[in-house]
């Protein structure tokens, strides 16, 4: 699948200004940061016909790992969902849509893990991507990794909508 961008399929956030740095509220609490680690609210519209569910990924391609860093992976988001409230990525809030599943990120746990690039690095990019899927749910094992999710997204994505935000301490 080519996973094309579809005009009118748009992902935005009322909490993230893509020109300014990501706010402290959304920054990770760890790795030398004292952020609040609250996932930002997200909104979308214009999914293509045939969409049966959504998946969300947030990836830092600038992390010094050789493969980037997965900050949030949520799959099986019901097709009737058009927004995630602030805190939906924080498991203890219960704000994720019913039926959605959060996958363990590179922090080793499911749910939102906010920005936390190495101190002194230039600001890193955080790519928020919403995938419109042609299946109602991805059939993933309990211990699925972001890479396995990505493999499944490759074969089931009808279209993608994304934006990039930045955060760094330099």
């Amino acid at each position: 699948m080519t996973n094309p961008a579809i005009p009118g399929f748009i992902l935005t956030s009322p909490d993230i200004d893509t020109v300014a740095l990501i706010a402290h509220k959304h920054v990770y609490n760890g790795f030398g940061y004292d952020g609040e680690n609250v996932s930002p609210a997200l909104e979308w519209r214009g999914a293509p016909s045939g969409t049966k569910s959504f998946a969300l990924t947030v990836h830092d391609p600038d992390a010094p790992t050789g493969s980037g860093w997965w900050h949030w992976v949520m799959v099986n988001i019901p097709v009737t969902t058009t927004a995630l409230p602030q805190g939906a990525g924080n498991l203890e809030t219960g704000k994720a849509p019913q039926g959605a599943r959060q996958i363990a990120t590179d922090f080793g746990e499911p749910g939102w893990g906010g920005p936390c690039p190495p101190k002194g690095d230039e600001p890193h990019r955080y790519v928020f991507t919403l995938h419109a899927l042609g299946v109602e749910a991805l059939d993933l094992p309990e211990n699925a990794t972001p890479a396995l999710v990505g493999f499944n997204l490759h074969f089931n994505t009808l279209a993608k909508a994304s934006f990039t935000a930045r955060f760094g301490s330099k």
Side-chain angles (χ1 to χ4, degrees):
M1 247 184 214
T2 60
N3 304 329
I6 303 254
F9 185 36
I10 298 168
L11 174 66
T12 60
S13 174
D15 293 338
I16 295 180
D17 177 348
T18 57
V19 177
L21 295 179
I22 294 173
H24 182 264
K25 180 175 204 159
H26 308 296
V27 172
Y28 192 69
N29 188 348
F31 291 103
Y33 290 94
D34 64 353
E36 296 175 43
N37 201 47
V38 175
S39 66
L42 299 171
E43 302 170 348
W44 58 89
R45 66 179 185 276
S49 67
T51 300
K52 295 182 180 177
S53 69
F54 297 99
L56 172 72
T57 61
V58 179
H59 183 253
D60 170 4
D62 303 316
T65 64
S67 61
W69 190 273
W70 293 99
H71 285 263
W72 194 10
V73 180
M74 184 185 291
V75 299
N76 303 344
I77 301 168
V79 69
T80 55
T81 305
T82 58
L84 296 175
Q86 187 177 93
N90 303 92
L91 302 182
E92 67 280 359
T93 68
K95 292 182 177 181
Q98 189 166 353
R101 179 175 167 201
Q102 304 209 50
I103 303 296
T105 66
D106 287 333
F107 290 103
E109 299 178 350
W112 169 256
C116 57
K119 296 281 187 167
D121 270 15
E122 292 291 330
H124 285 206
R125 296 169 291 155
Y126 296 87
V127 182
F128 290 72
T129 304
L130 185 73
H131 300 258
L133 304 179
V135 294
E136 288 184 19
L138 295 177
D139 185 20
L140 299 166
E142 188 62 33
N143 64 345
T145 62
L148 183 59
V149 171
F151 178 82
N152 281 269
L153 291 177
H154 175 78
F155 293 103
N156 293 289
T157 297
L158 302 173
K160 296 189 279 190
S162 67
F163 68 84
T164 301
R166 298 177 316 113
F167 181 78
S169 59
K170 189 169 185 179

